Amino acid sequence: MVQVKVGLPSSAGQSQVNLTQKNGKAHFIEHKGHSRTHLPKVDYSVIHAIPGRIRLRVPRLRHNPDYAQRLQVLLEADALVTSFRLKPAAASVAVTYNPKTVSEFKLRHHLGHVFQSAAVVVLKPTKHKTTKATETSWSGLQLSGAATALAVLGGPLGLPIPPIFMVGTISLATLPVLQRAWKGITVERKLNIDFLDLIAIAITTIQGRFLAPALMLSLIDIGEKIRDRTARCSAQQTLDLLSSLGQFAWVERDGQKQQIPIHEVQRGDIVIVYPGEQVPVDGKILRGKALLDEQKLTGESVPVFKTKGQNVFASTLVREGRMYILTEKVGHDTLAGKSLQLMEQAPVHDTRMENYAATVAQKTVLPTLLLGAAVFALTRNPARAASVLTLDFATGIRVSVPTTVLAALTHAAQRGVLIRSGRALEQLAQVDTIVFDKTGTLTQGEAAVVGVESLNPAVSSVRVLQLAATAEQRLTHPVAEAVIRYAEAHKVEMLPRSKWDYQLGLGVKAEIDGETVFVGSERFLRLQEVDMSGLEGRQKPASAIYVGSNDQLLGIIEYSDLLRPESREVISRLLTVENVEVHMLTGDNKQTASAVAAQLGIAPINTHAEAFPEQKATVVRELHEQNKTVAFVGDGINDSPALAYADVSVSFANGSDIARETADVVLMHNNLHGLLEAIAIARQTKQLIQQNTGIIAIPNLAALMVAVFFGLNPLAATVVNNGSTVVAGVNGLRPLLKPKNS
């Protein structure tokens, strides 16, 4: 992770932006200063634009490399920019964005500010701090490699290398082992594997058998390096998670509209939110109205209409409309902020893989020491004692287990499953309970038409769909988009539409084919004085829009958040083949939750409705208290606390930034089959570790018997020990040998 400070020159002294760059993507942490309207003018023009992509010409790029570098940093930090491509020689920049969250007009205006800002900010890179553990790992590996090379040259090859060089190199390479052994004695109050290795290295080195300790050190360092590579860092990053909720906000102060950094918004401020923008605060609507997508926060897939006097919450997205909001809560005090705090307060697990094989090896330390001492006491031969100490399980396990884990993580990535750590892999192999969020995880997370019914004998259902689709074309409401998709899928021809009037939160009125057509909620049609008597005595669907023409009700279009195509199959396999207990959490009401659970075969007792972030985390904690190993699968901000508390957390590549940051496992193909892949890989890895334990234990035990009763050369003991380690390591690489499409 790299921190970059971006600020105005000292002569201006007006503004400073701190960025944290993580995994190649930068995020705003802090911004202090005045309005960006005082920035110098930078000329630019739009060359080409299509929905989702815009290319602009910025002449300054061609002759000012510093400006190009500053612009690159700002674009990397921009939440509205999905990706970009700078071409200084052509003075052009191509930007891709999500047209569902920001309009082209708004993006052009926003990029104008970015171009101006890049003219004055100053980049101040902070020094990258390499961790001590990384430095030690690399230097230890280099030293042990050098020791092995010198031992081979001075031993089997017979070159005249002074023994002092080999002793010195081996001594330096042994320092990390000495430090770990000393820590075990003084801090952990026990003799650990490193103490056993230290004694064996010391005895063989003193005897002048340099190849055996050098080989042992090389394998130990390789194992440690791979082990560190498979461990996910648990230290909290300096990324402010709230930065993912937006960087700037429009406020109305003293009758003037200003765009200010989001952290400068205060209680009592009037915040203005436009279409395509996220609400930055919790508050109450003073004036205006909007259609709000609250899926990230509540999990509800269908947008809700809100108007004056109603409460709105940070992180929700304005689909349509405009609102003036009286700010009541900001930052960590908002509902979204509290969800992030719950996540940050979750316990941080040990990042190093804790496996039964290492535990077994640790328990052999004292018996091996006692056996070596007994052999020395009976034979007075230090070489035989060194052979006994060399024939331990520790070195082989410390190499083979991390190698197997690393191979499994790589194999999983090739299959489209990102598993972040060895610990996550281990937990996944032991999972016996999986908790799914419903919306966007088991379902597709968007409205889809499930049926069209005519209520007028003179009108066909195709005609009802045709009128509704024609009336709703070019509207951005999710239900309107669902109707259009359904009509296109059924090859329904659109009719000419003349006048039309869309009423936010209600519906649309349109002149079509000589008819006055109304499409919208039941309330909307009643307000238009459409005869709704055809609904009497009928059970109304949970989610539907109504179609009327010339004051008569024509039909109903029912819609729903459909299940993912693979959900039934995946849940069925988890329940029947993998023998896993499955739970479902949702913010929906009990009736909706029960209907979805019934379709999937999830037991009613394992279905948890009306669950908000705190309740989701509570359900996971309660399952923990029942001694279950819990995996949680979710993709929204509202899922982040539960993701953090789970033994292993799973999200999708297209999930929210917070969910991806929290998750131990990310399904890169956005398909639940990836979860089955991950479990299969984890369980196969556990089996391989068990096999490798046998591969290491059997030859070492046999050689140990020979060393005790008949004597064994330390070099031969090293060959047996290291040979079994190599075989186990190669066996652990088997997942990588499988074809990617198998």
Side-chain angles (χ1 to χ4, degrees):
M1 183 176 61
V2 180
Q3 281 195 332
V4 183
K5 290 185 178 179
V6 185
L8 290 173
S10 56
S11 59
Q14 299 290 328
S15 179
Q16 178 174 300
V17 179
N18 290 337
L19 304 177
T20 294
Q21 189 169 3
K22 183 179 179 186
N23 299 329
K25 186 67 177 177
H27 303 265
F28 281 103
I29 298 300
E30 184 180 1
H31 184 110
K32 299 177 180 177
H34 297 136
S35 171
R36 294 182 294 173
T37 57
H38 301 295
L39 299 176
K41 181 174 177 56
V42 174
D43 293 328
Y44 69 94
S45 59
V46 176
I47 302 172
H48 178 66
I50 59 175
R53 189 176 186 274
I54 184 170
R55 189 156 64 93
L56 308 100
R57 177 169 285 112
V58 186
R60 187 175 294 207
L61 284 172
R62 183 178 287 115
H63 56 79
N64 192 333
D66 290 338
Y67 176 81
Q69 183 184 3
R70 294 193 294 267
L71 180 59
Q72 178 172 337
V73 172
L74 291 179
L75 289 174
E76 286 175 347
D78 202 307
L80 296 182
V81 175
T82 303
S83 63
F84 67 92
R85 187 174 183 183
L86 277 177
K87 290 185 177 179
S92 75
V93 54
V95 172
T96 61
Y97 62 96
N98 187 347
K100 292 183 178 180
T101 58
V102 59
S103 66
E104 181 189 323
F105 174 79
K106 180 179 181 298
L107 186 73
R108 289 191 190 192
H109 177 73
H110 176 76
L111 288 176
H113 282 301
V114 175
F115 295 151
Q116 315 309 321
S117 300
V120 293
V121 295
V122 177
L123 304 185
K124 300 177 182 178
T126 59
K127 294 181 179 180
H128 178 71
K129 296 182 179 180
T130 305
T131 63
K132 186 175 181 181
T134 304
E135 291 175 349
T136 302
S137 178
W138 274 114
S139 61
L141 191 56
Q142 291 163 354
L143 284 170
S144 60
T148 302
L150 288 173
V152 170
L153 293 173
L157 297 183
L159 296 181
I161 297 176
I164 188 65
F165 286 170
M166 289 185 278
V167 172
T169 308
I170 289 172
S171 299
L172 289 174
T174 308
L175 283 177
V177 180
L178 174 62
Q179 291 171 347
R180 292 194 295 268
W182 181 252
K183 180 182 177 183
I185 294 170
T186 58
V187 178
E188 300 171 4
R189 302 292 182 184
K190 65 181 180 181
L191 300 177
N192 58 19
I193 296 170
D194 293 292
F195 181 79
L196 198 64
D197 291 337
L198 181 64
I199 298 298
I201 291 167
I203 292 175
T204 50
T205 302
I206 291 171
Q207 290 183 318
R209 304 174 186 272
F210 301 127
L211 185 56
L215 284 172
M216 183 183 294
L217 283 167
S218 293
L219 283 171
I220 290 172
D221 287 333
I222 289 171
E224 286 296 308
K225 182 64 179 174
I226 298 174
R227 186 178 174 186
D228 288 335
R229 172 66 179 81
T230 63
R232 183 188 186 190
C233 180
S234 63
Q236 291 295 316
Q237 307 293 345
T238 56
L239 170 66
D240 181 350
L241 294 176
L242 280 174
S243 67
S244 68
L245 304 183
Q247 309 300 338
F248 297 96
W250 286 98
V251 298
E252 186 178 70
R253 290 178 176 173
D254 302 323
Q256 300 293 322
K257 295 179 182 177
Q258 306 174 39
Q259 192 178 38
I260 64 173
I262 192 169
H263 76 270
E264 291 185 5
V265 178
Q266 301 174 359
R267 290 186 62 184
D269 275 338
I270 298 175
V271 173
I272 313 163
V273 190
Y274 297 94
E277 294 182 342
Q278 287 191 108
V279 177
V281 298
D282 286 1
K284 188 169 292 185
I285 301 175
L286 287 179
R287 59 184 186 274
K289 54 188 177 180
L291 191 68
L292 287 166
D293 183 344
E294 297 184 333
Q295 182 172 339
K296 277 188 176 182
L297 187 65
T298 66
E300 177 55 56
S301 60
V302 179
V304 295
F305 174 72
K306 294 195 175 182
T307 187
K308 180 179 178 180
Q310 291 184 282
N311 292 319
V312 293
F313 304 99
S315 82
T316 57
L317 178 69
V318 176
R319 286 276 196 155
E320 299 171 0
R322 180 174 63 177
M323 300 179 296
Y324 289 74
I325 304 166
L326 177 63
T327 301
E328 295 177 347
K329 295 179 181 178
V330 297
H332 285 290
D333 291 330
T334 63
L335 190 58
K338 287 179 179 177
S339 293
L340 300 184
Q341 283 185 315
L342 276 173
M343 187 200 73
E344 291 168 351
Q345 292 165 5
V348 176
H349 299 285
D350 182 10
T351 58
R352 284 212 169 188
M353 187 174 181
E354 299 169 352
N355 55 80
Y356 82 98
T359 303
V360 170
Q362 188 68 48
K363 290 179 179 179
T364 65
V365 172
L366 188 57
T368 304
L369 278 172
L370 293 175
L371 185 59
V375 169
F376 179 73
L378 293 172
T379 65
R380 298 296 175 180
N381 186 340
R384 290 182 66 173
S387 297
V388 171
L389 297 178
T390 301
L391 292 165
D392 67 279
F393 306 153
T395 303
I397 288 171
R398 286 200 295 186
V399 173
S400 68
V401 170
T403 301
T404 304
V405 171
L406 184 59
L409 299 184
T410 305
H411 175 56
Q414 292 172 346
R415 307 283 295 188
V417 180
L418 174 62
I419 304 177
R420 297 190 192 272
S421 69
R423 181 196 169 274
L425 191 72
E426 179 191 26
Q427 293 291 326
L428 201 57
Q430 299 172 1
V431 159
D432 54 24
T433 304
I434 299 181
V435 182
F436 289 91
D437 173 59
K438 180 184 78 70
T439 306
T441 303
L442 293 172
T443 67
Q444 297 178 21
E446 63 179 12
V449 173
V450 295
V452 180
E453 181 182 1
S454 171
L455 299 180
N456 189 318
V459 179
S460 69
S461 59
V462 174
R463 177 67 174 178
V464 171
L465 177 61
Q466 186 179 43
L467 291 174
T470 301
E472 298 205 301
Q473 59 186 317
R474 292 194 294 276
L475 295 183
T476 59
H477 191 290
V479 177
E481 293 172 346
V483 171
I484 299 297
R485 287 196 303 269
Y486 191 79
E488 290 174 347
H490 287 77
K491 296 181 172 53
V492 173
E493 183 182 355
M494 298 294 179
L495 300 171
R497 181 182 67 173
S498 52
K499 296 180 181 180
W500 63 281
D501 176 37
Y502 174 59
Q503 297 186 32
L504 185 61
L506 293 173
V508 61
K509 172 183 177 181
E511 297 295 331
I512 302 172
D513 208 11
E515 300 180 40
T516 302
V517 177
F518 305 98
V519 182
S521 65
E522 180 184 352
R523 177 169 172 261
F524 175 62
L525 267 67
R526 291 189 185 279
L527 288 173
Q528 303 301 322
E529 298 183 350
V530 173
D531 181 8
M532 305 294 284
S533 58
L535 295 179
E536 293 178 4
R538 293 179 55 89
Q539 183 176 358
K540 298 178 184 177
S543 302
I545 57 172
Y546 299 84
V547 182
S549 173
N550 297 331
D551 302 330
Q552 295 295 315
L553 178 63
L554 299 184
I556 302 175
I557 299 178
E558 185 177 357
Y559 61 90
S560 177
D561 182 9
L562 296 180
L563 291 174
R564 286 175 175 267
E566 73 275 13
S567 290
R568 287 189 183 88
E569 180 188 347
V570 170
I571 297 298
S572 175
R573 183 167 172 183
L574 288 172
L575 291 170
T576 58
V577 179
E578 305 296 344
N579 197 28
V580 170
E581 182 178 311
V582 175
H583 291 248
M584 185 184 78
L585 287 171
T586 177
D588 290 340
N589 59 50
K590 292 182 179 180
Q591 181 181 356
T592 302
S594 297
V596 173
Q599 293 181 61
L600 294 169
I602 298 174
I605 194 173
N606 293 343
T607 304
H608 312 271
E610 300 174 0
F612 289 95
E614 296 87 348
Q615 287 82 21
K616 290 185 177 183
T618 299
V619 169
V620 173
R621 286 198 295 262
E622 288 175 349
L623 289 170
H624 269 302
E625 292 170 2
Q626 299 172 28
N627 296 319
K628 296 181 183 294
T629 303
V630 183
F632 184 88
V633 189
D635 70 336
I637 291 175
N638 61 318
D639 299 323
S640 54
L643 285 166
Y645 276 96
D647 292 294
V648 57
S649 50
V650 184
S651 190
F652 296 96
N654 65 356
S656 69
D657 293 340
I658 305 298
R660 285 198 310 273
E661 175 65 24
T662 312
D664 298 310
V665 179
V666 181
L667 308 180
M668 303 305 294
H669 293 160
N670 299 306
N671 189 301
L672 284 174
H673 280 121
L675 177 61
L676 297 176
E677 290 267 12
I679 293 173
I681 290 170
R683 292 181 175 176
Q684 181 199 36
T685 303
K686 184 177 179 180
Q687 291 173 353
L688 281 175
I689 290 173
Q690 292 171 337
Q691 289 176 11
N692 288 342
T693 302
I695 290 171
I696 292 164
I698 292 171
N700 276 274
L701 282 172
L704 185 61
M705 299 298 290
V706 173
V708 170
F709 295 107
F710 306 104
L712 189 66
N713 187 289
L715 184 58
T718 301
V719 170
V720 171
N721 186 266
N722 292 353
S724 63
T725 298
V726 170
V727 172
V730 172
N731 185 56
L733 294 174
R734 277 168 47 198
L736 293 180
L737 304 179
K738 291 186 176 183
K740 293 182 182 179
N741 58 354
S742 64

